[in-house]
Amino acid sequence: MDVRVLWSLVGLAFGVALGFAGAFGGVGAFFLVLFLGVLGFVGGRVIEGDLDLREIFSPGGAGRRR
C-alpha cells in the first residue's frame, strides 16, 4: 500500500489546532498542544526508523561517525 502524506495539509491541521488552543484555552493550552505535537512527531520518526535516539543521547557520540 502506497501512502502519500500531503505535508501542507498536516501543517494546516496542526496550525488550526494550535490556533484553537490559543484562542479558547489561552497561552498554556497553546504550548501544551505545541509540546504534544512535537513529541508525537519525534515519536513517529522513531517508530518509522528515521531517527535513532541512541545516537542523540549516547555520551560522547556527537563527534563519532560510523
Side-chain angles (χ1 to χ4, degrees):
M1 175 192 284
D2 184 26
V3 178
R4 294 184 53 122
V5 178
L6 299 175
W7 290 110
S8 58
L9 291 178
V10 173
L12 175 66
F14 190 64
V16 168
L18 286 175
F20 277 124
F24 297 113
V27 175
F30 174 83
F31 284 114
L32 178 65
V33 171
L34 180 64
F35 174 73
L36 292 176
V38 169
L39 189 66
F41 175 75
V42 170
R45 296 291 298 258
V46 169
I47 291 171
E48 287 179 351
D50 293 337
L51 182 64
D52 188 10
L53 293 178
R54 289 177 291 181
E55 290 182 6
I56 295 173
F57 292 114
S58 66
R64 293 186 312 200
R65 294 284 179 203
R66 291 191 245 183

